[in-house]
Amino acid sequence: MEKLLAKVLNKEEISKQEALSLFEKDLPSLIRASNIVKKHFKKGKLHFCCAVGLKIGNCSQNCGFCAQSGFYETNILKKEFLEKDLFLKFLKVNSNENISSIGLNTSTGYYCETNKEYLKKMYSYVLKTSHLKICAAHGILKNQEEAKELKRMGVFKYEHNLQTSANFFKNICTTHKFSEKVSTIKYAKKAGLLCCSGGILGMGETKEDLIDLAFTLKKLGISSIPLNILTPVKKTPLGELGVKISQEDVLKAIAVFRFVLPSSNLILGAGRSFLKEKLRLAFFAGLNGMVVGNLLTFKGDEVLKDIEMVRGFC
Ligand code: SF4
């Protein structure tokens, strides 16, 4: 491991095989090493963002982990358009100086399925009333023009999670292809948008799949990587199977991602409740950010508490 640590600190890339070998190391030594990598490349820099669903549920896609897919009868509270008043309240609470961007999500498989007039209005509220940068997540982009359009509308970053490896993807979704996801990121980048893309751990993927995901993200030059741990949702195919990863392997995966992507922001999305008392170790292992605000966090002090908690961990 000392050899790999020296290589990464020297800005040399490690191979897939070397990354895979890290999973075999004992956890304390591995996360001590990945913490050195994090400190060296991130220099204490933390990343906080908030996210809100503008359209919730009834998605045209069949992602097997997702409560919002129209294919499954989940208990989610569906919403076609988030109301302006609720949105402005959310914006106010999350306009904390430590939060840099707001994720505006729509449960649409493809961007072309969104209501663009509505999106424009919501974007304008963000731009006029807050310092937050817009990170849009509206599904697959079919062409370059769609990415350019988003840029013209004031979007700063596009979020499109690869979710898993190219090889494992067929096990979690059959209504769109992994290659469409990769093209989406390429269109967004070419249009001058930053990209945020990550994945979900615990869906039954192998360690090789996790390594493949990390290397694909590296190849695409992704600077913000949300790592989520599967939150099983009743009546979805993956919800019935449960979380297929141990806490220890989540910590190891975070450490390996930090070795492969030393200067990217590794952000914790869903998964806090899975990690429980190990949450601190997840930050020690390599995370340097978290999604802190969602529609349920209407109390400003909860957002602040999260920020202070992460600061204490890092
Ligand atoms: S495309 Fe997105 S919103 Fe739709 S089912 Fe898949 S993960 Fe859920």
Side-chain angles (χ1 to χ4, degrees):
M1 189 153 54
E2 293 306 315
K3 223 174 89 189
L4 292 187
L5 178 59
K7 219 171 164 180
V8 173
L9 295 179
N10 205 25
K11 297 197 175 139
E12 289 172 47
E13 291 189 7
I14 62 170
S15 69
K16 280 191 179 183
Q17 213 44 47
E18 288 172 325
L20 195 56
S21 74
L22 290 171
F23 275 106
E24 305 311 319
K25 309 293 176 198
D26 70 279
L27 182 65
S29 315
L30 175 62
I31 64 177
R32 260 198 307 274
S34 59
N35 186 261
I36 294 173
V37 176
K38 181 178 95 162
K39 284 194 170 144
H40 183 82
F41 285 92
K42 298 313 296 180
K43 304 200 169 11
K45 205 173 153 238
L46 300 176
H47 177 94
F48 297 104
C49 53
C50 56
V52 63
L54 298 179
K55 171 184 177 290
I56 300 168
N58 279 336
C59 179
S60 61
Q61 305 301 299
N62 72 349
C63 306
F65 54 84
C66 185
Q68 304 209 51
S69 167
F71 283 69
Y72 318 119
E73 286 297 319
T74 62
N75 289 333
I76 196 162
L77 207 59
K78 293 174 186 153
K79 215 174 240 303
E80 208 46 42
F81 299 106
L82 181 72
E83 301 85 349
K84 177 184 169 188
D85 289 353
L86 208 54
F87 183 62
L88 290 179
K89 193 174 163 197
F90 175 84
L91 261 180
K92 200 170 166 199
V93 170
N94 288 284
S95 284
N96 180 296
E97 57 184 13
N98 297 289
I99 302 177
S100 53
S101 58
I102 178 168
L104 300 180
N105 310 332
T106 51
S107 55
T108 40
Y110 289 82
Y111 166 61
C112 60
E113 296 166 5
T114 57
N115 180 322
K116 291 179 190 170
E117 287 313 306
Y118 170 75
L119 285 186
K120 259 189 217 163
K121 242 190 259 168
M122 301 318 250
Y123 291 171
S124 74
Y125 297 142
V126 177
L127 298 172
K128 280 185 201 150
T129 66
S130 79
H131 71 285
L132 297 167
K133 291 185 171 153
I134 297 172
C135 175
H138 307 312
I140 290 163
L141 302 175
K142 284 189 170 170
N143 53 53
Q144 191 59 61
E145 184 44 39
E146 290 185 336
K148 284 187 189 162
E149 181 177 78
L150 285 162
K151 172 95 177 155
R152 283 197 298 274
M153 282 157 71
V155 171
F156 169 75
K157 198 188 262 187
Y158 200 68
E159 178 182 357
H160 193 65
N161 290 318
L162 292 182
Q163 311 296 19
T164 189
S165 70
N167 193 38
F168 191 73
F169 187 72
K170 58 183 179 302
N171 298 300
I172 61 163
C173 179
T174 55
T175 45
H176 60 269
K177 297 194 190 89
F178 189 82
S179 57
E180 292 177 273
K181 297 175 92 54
V182 172
S183 302
T184 295
I185 291 171
K186 288 184 177 167
Y187 289 137
K189 287 198 82 173
K190 204 168 168 201
L193 297 168
L194 287 183
C195 277
C196 174
S197 180
I200 305 176
L201 316 183
M203 299 190 291
E205 70 285 340
T206 61
K207 294 187 173 78
E208 285 81 359
D209 289 315
L210 289 173
I211 300 289
D212 275 350
L213 171 63
F215 276 83
T216 309
L217 294 169
K218 187 179 181 71
K219 198 169 165 203
L220 288 167
I222 306 295
S223 54
S224 298
I225 301 176
L227 292 176
N228 303 279
I229 301 152
L230 179 71
T231 307
V233 178
K234 275 190 188 151
K235 300 200 178 155
T236 60
L238 293 179
E240 304 297 332
L241 298 176
V243 185
K244 302 270 183 224
I245 194 166
S246 64
Q247 279 185 332
E248 173 157 342
D249 278 346
V250 168
L251 296 172
K252 284 190 169 182
I254 292 168
V256 173
F257 267 71
R258 180 52 73 200
F259 264 84
V260 177
L261 295 136
S263 47
S264 295
N265 287 323
L266 296 184
I267 304 157
L268 181 66
R272 228 199 268 210
S273 54
F274 177 83
L275 284 164
K276 296 193 183 99
E277 72 289 349
K278 301 278 194 310
L279 186 59
R280 177 186 290 272
L281 282 180
F283 282 88
F284 188 81
L287 296 177
N288 71 312
M290 191 161 87
V291 182
V292 290
N294 58 47
L295 255 194
L296 302 173
T297 51
F298 268 135
K299 291 186 191 142
D301 56 345
E302 283 178 23
V303 173
L304 281 178
K305 240 193 259 168
D306 278 352
I307 291 171
E308 285 314 313
M309 177 187 75
V310 172
R311 283 223 175 99
F313 289 169
C314 290

